[in-house]
Amino acid sequence: MARYTESMEELIRRLGKFPGVGPKSAERMAFYILHSSGQDVEALTQAISKVKKSTGFCKQCNNLSEGDLCAICKDPGRDHTLICVVEEPKDIIAIEKGSHFRGIYHVLLGALSPLDGIGPDDLKIKELISRIKALGVKEVIIATNSDTEGEATALYLTKVIRSLKVKLTRIAFGVPIGSDLEYADQVTLSRSLAGRRDL
Amino acid sequence: MARYTESMEELIRRLGKFPGVGPKSAERMAFYILHSSGQDVEALTQAISKVKKSTGFCKQCNNLSEGDLCAICKDPGRDHTLICVVEEPKDIIAIEKGSHFRGIYHVLLGALSPLDGIGPDDLKIKELISRIKALGVKEVIIATNSDTEGEATALYLTKVIRSLKVKLTRIAFGVPIGSDLEYADQVTLSRSLAGRRDL
């Protein structure tokens, strides 16, 4: 069976390791690289190396950061007594994009998943407890995902944080704004009904 | 609006330029790089640079090659009087994978597309004519795609090559093997009927 040149095959194999990239996409990407200018390719490899070298995690909240503390933790204008707990740094971006949340965050860097062998000690839960104790936190908002792992993590956090005498809340789940009730799935609808509020 | 660190943003922007990679995929890929080992990242950047440096085009047929001539053109066991004309190097891989074709190839590096400003001079057609004249070629098989651009290219090649007194053929289009007639589209079916053969 004929194949591309050795270096192309190696590149296709490497690109195929990316999440969501199959052999055909990897092939298209490799051809894109082959047809790009030397300058663009150089910029791409530098961007890849630079991320690895310069981006780390915030020592306080585990958000992505190029220094010891991330931009949000360094911001004196934010309310440091209000902590929103999320699974991943990208969840912070999602919340910051759409809302007017002015507190700070804590990234767990994952969610409980016994099947994958991820227990409480693999997440940044101990660090969260220390922060709650040290900062005089008034409210902890749990914003883990609504899937099994996220719900299990929220349940575990509730148990652990309950004893700290701090206000503990969970973000609301329900029918998304702008969508038709008709198209909402049953679980979402029943969560939406259970979470109804007085008018 | 909060954003990732500067180096992450730059990487996501670069990865988003790949064909078929949207902002969300680019984000996932950037996180994959961030979480990969330094060794893997180094291997990836090297694979990218290496393709750019070492892979070029075969001086004879424009297939991908790491030397002056590609593996197929260098192979004395193949029939150099039978040329199969394709649009892209990946078409060679497709043909080599499935068939027992023992001739050689000529890659046009594109197809005629007046709307995109691609005319005969932008393709390797002059080179094909010289090869046909020089090699004593007996048969030219046109294997461009069956889309508008591929058909236009086939038509143009037919006109140009007809005068060279060489056998000229086009690959067969019709109902794919293993598929139901019921599901074939009308254009494919009518091409299949028009291309019927004696039994």
Short mmCIF file of all heavy atoms in Angstrom, two decimals, chain B residues 176-199:
data_model
loop_
_atom_site.label_atom_id
_atom_site.label_comp_id
_atom_site.label_asym_id
_atom_site.label_seq_id
_atom_site.Cartn_x
_atom_site.Cartn_y
_atom_site.Cartn_z
N PRO B 176 -21.86 2.87 -6.63
CA PRO B 176 -20.74 2.25 -5.89
C PRO B 176 -21.02 0.79 -5.57
O PRO B 176 -22.17 0.41 -5.38
CB PRO B 176 -20.66 3.05 -4.58
CG PRO B 176 -21.52 4.24 -4.76
CD PRO B 176 -22.52 3.91 -5.82
N ILE B 177 -19.97 0.00 -5.53
CA ILE B 177 -20.10 -1.43 -5.22
C ILE B 177 -20.61 -1.60 -3.79
O ILE B 177 -20.14 -0.94 -2.87
CB ILE B 177 -18.73 -2.12 -5.35
CG1 ILE B 177 -18.13 -1.89 -6.73
CG2 ILE B 177 -18.85 -3.62 -5.06
CD1 ILE B 177 -18.99 -2.34 -7.86
N GLY B 178 -21.56 -2.50 -3.62
CA GLY B 178 -22.05 -2.78 -2.28
C GLY B 178 -23.20 -1.89 -1.85
O GLY B 178 -23.75 -2.05 -0.77
N SER B 179 -23.59 -0.92 -2.72
CA SER B 179 -24.67 -0.03 -2.31
C SER B 179 -25.96 -0.41 -3.03
O SER B 179 -25.95 -1.08 -4.05
CB SER B 179 -24.31 1.41 -2.61
OG SER B 179 -24.48 1.68 -3.98
N ASP B 180 -27.08 0.04 -2.48
CA ASP B 180 -28.39 -0.24 -3.06
C ASP B 180 -28.72 0.77 -4.16
O ASP B 180 -28.51 1.96 -3.97
CB ASP B 180 -29.45 -0.10 -1.97
CG ASP B 180 -29.82 -1.45 -1.40
OD1 ASP B 180 -28.94 -2.34 -1.41
OD2 ASP B 180 -30.98 -1.60 -0.96
N LEU B 181 -29.27 0.28 -5.28
CA LEU B 181 -29.72 1.17 -6.36
C LEU B 181 -30.69 2.20 -5.80
O LEU B 181 -30.67 3.37 -6.17
CB LEU B 181 -30.44 0.37 -7.44
CG LEU B 181 -29.59 -0.29 -8.52
CD1 LEU B 181 -30.49 -0.72 -9.66
CD2 LEU B 181 -28.54 0.67 -9.02
N GLU B 182 -31.54 1.73 -4.90
CA GLU B 182 -32.58 2.56 -4.30
C GLU B 182 -32.02 3.86 -3.72
O GLU B 182 -32.66 4.90 -3.74
CB GLU B 182 -33.21 1.72 -3.18
CG GLU B 182 -34.44 2.28 -2.55
CD GLU B 182 -34.91 1.37 -1.41
OE1 GLU B 182 -34.33 0.26 -1.25
OE2 GLU B 182 -35.79 1.76 -0.69
N TYR B 183 -30.81 3.77 -3.16
CA TYR B 183 -30.24 4.94 -2.48
C TYR B 183 -29.33 5.79 -3.36
O TYR B 183 -28.83 6.80 -2.92
CB TYR B 183 -29.49 4.49 -1.22
CG TYR B 183 -30.38 3.77 -0.25
CD1 TYR B 183 -30.12 2.45 0.13
CD2 TYR B 183 -31.52 4.40 0.27
CE1 TYR B 183 -30.96 1.78 1.01
CE2 TYR B 183 -32.36 3.74 1.15
CZ TYR B 183 -32.08 2.43 1.52
OH TYR B 183 -32.91 1.78 2.38
N ALA B 184 -29.10 5.33 -4.59
CA ALA B 184 -28.22 6.11 -5.48
C ALA B 184 -28.97 7.35 -5.95
O ALA B 184 -30.17 7.30 -6.21
CB ALA B 184 -27.81 5.26 -6.67
N ASP B 185 -28.25 8.50 -6.08
CA ASP B 185 -28.94 9.70 -6.54
C ASP B 185 -29.14 9.64 -8.05
O ASP B 185 -28.54 8.82 -8.74
CB ASP B 185 -28.13 10.95 -6.15
CG ASP B 185 -26.77 10.96 -6.80
OD1 ASP B 185 -25.90 10.16 -6.36
OD2 ASP B 185 -26.57 11.73 -7.74
N GLN B 186 -29.99 10.52 -8.57
CA GLN B 186 -30.38 10.46 -9.98
C GLN B 186 -29.22 10.67 -10.94
O GLN B 186 -29.12 10.00 -11.97
CB GLN B 186 -31.46 11.50 -10.26
CG GLN B 186 -32.77 11.17 -9.52
CD GLN B 186 -33.86 12.14 -9.85
OE1 GLN B 186 -33.59 13.26 -10.27
NE2 GLN B 186 -35.10 11.73 -9.65
N VAL B 187 -28.34 11.60 -10.60
CA VAL B 187 -27.22 11.89 -11.50
C VAL B 187 -26.31 10.66 -11.60
O VAL B 187 -25.88 10.26 -12.69
CB VAL B 187 -26.42 13.12 -11.01
CG1 VAL B 187 -25.31 13.44 -11.99
CG2 VAL B 187 -27.34 14.31 -10.83
N THR B 188 -26.04 10.04 -10.45
CA THR B 188 -25.19 8.84 -10.45
C THR B 188 -25.85 7.74 -11.27
O THR B 188 -25.18 7.07 -12.08
CB THR B 188 -24.98 8.36 -8.99
OG1 THR B 188 -24.39 9.41 -8.24
CG2 THR B 188 -24.09 7.13 -8.94
N LEU B 189 -27.15 7.56 -11.09
CA LEU B 189 -27.86 6.51 -11.82
C LEU B 189 -27.84 6.76 -13.33
O LEU B 189 -27.63 5.82 -14.11
CB LEU B 189 -29.30 6.41 -11.33
CG LEU B 189 -29.55 5.35 -10.26
CD1 LEU B 189 -31.00 5.35 -9.82
CD2 LEU B 189 -29.16 3.96 -10.77
N SER B 190 -28.04 8.00 -13.72
CA SER B 190 -28.08 8.24 -15.17
C SER B 190 -26.68 8.09 -15.76
O SER B 190 -26.52 7.60 -16.88
CB SER B 190 -28.69 9.61 -15.49
OG SER B 190 -27.83 10.63 -15.09
N ARG B 191 -25.63 8.47 -14.97
CA ARG B 191 -24.25 8.24 -15.44
C ARG B 191 -23.98 6.75 -15.53
O ARG B 191 -23.28 6.28 -16.43
CB ARG B 191 -23.24 8.86 -14.47
CG ARG B 191 -23.07 10.37 -14.63
CD ARG B 191 -22.39 10.74 -15.93
NE ARG B 191 -20.97 10.47 -15.94
CZ ARG B 191 -20.04 11.37 -15.60
NH1 ARG B 191 -20.39 12.57 -15.24
NH2 ARG B 191 -18.76 11.05 -15.64
N SER B 192 -24.55 6.00 -14.59
CA SER B 192 -24.34 4.57 -14.54
C SER B 192 -24.98 3.88 -15.74
O SER B 192 -24.42 2.95 -16.33
CB SER B 192 -24.93 4.04 -13.23
OG SER B 192 -24.91 2.65 -13.20
N LEU B 193 -26.18 4.37 -16.13
CA LEU B 193 -26.88 3.80 -17.29
C LEU B 193 -26.15 4.17 -18.59
O LEU B 193 -25.96 3.33 -19.47
CB LEU B 193 -28.32 4.32 -17.33
CG LEU B 193 -29.27 3.62 -16.36
CD1 LEU B 193 -30.58 4.38 -16.23
CD2 LEU B 193 -29.53 2.19 -16.85
N ALA B 194 -25.75 5.44 -18.67
CA ALA B 194 -25.06 5.90 -19.88
C ALA B 194 -23.75 5.14 -20.06
O ALA B 194 -23.31 4.90 -21.19
CB ALA B 194 -24.81 7.39 -19.79
N GLY B 195 -23.12 4.73 -18.96
CA GLY B 195 -21.82 4.07 -19.05
C GLY B 195 -21.94 2.56 -19.07
O GLY B 195 -20.97 1.86 -18.79
N ARG B 196 -23.11 2.02 -19.39
CA ARG B 196 -23.34 0.57 -19.36
C ARG B 196 -22.42 -0.15 -20.35
O ARG B 196 -22.02 0.43 -21.37
CB ARG B 196 -24.81 0.25 -19.65
CG ARG B 196 -25.26 0.56 -21.06
CD ARG B 196 -26.79 0.41 -21.14
NE ARG B 196 -27.28 0.72 -22.48
CZ ARG B 196 -27.48 1.96 -22.94
NH1 ARG B 196 -27.21 3.02 -22.17
NH2 ARG B 196 -27.93 2.15 -24.16
N ARG B 197 -22.08 -1.41 -20.01
CA ARG B 197 -21.15 -2.17 -20.86
C ARG B 197 -21.79 -3.47 -21.32
O ARG B 197 -22.64 -4.03 -20.64
CB ARG B 197 -19.88 -2.49 -20.06
CG ARG B 197 -19.09 -1.26 -19.70
CD ARG B 197 -18.05 -1.57 -18.65
NE ARG B 197 -17.17 -2.66 -19.07
CZ ARG B 197 -16.24 -3.20 -18.30
NH1 ARG B 197 -16.09 -2.78 -17.07
NH2 ARG B 197 -15.49 -4.18 -18.75
N ASP B 198 -21.34 -3.97 -22.47
CA ASP B 198 -21.83 -5.26 -22.98
C ASP B 198 -21.40 -6.38 -22.07
O ASP B 198 -20.30 -6.34 -21.50
CB ASP B 198 -21.24 -5.52 -24.39
CG ASP B 198 -21.84 -4.56 -25.41
OD1 ASP B 198 -23.00 -4.16 -25.23
OD2 ASP B 198 -21.11 -4.19 -26.35
N LEU B 199 -22.25 -7.40 -21.94
CA LEU B 199 -21.89 -8.57 -21.13
C LEU B 199 -21.60 -9.75 -22.04
O LEU B 199 -22.06 -9.79 -23.18
CB LEU B 199 -23.04 -8.91 -20.18
CG LEU B 199 -23.23 -7.91 -19.04
CD1 LEU B 199 -24.47 -8.25 -18.22
CD2 LEU B 199 -22.01 -7.94 -18.11
#
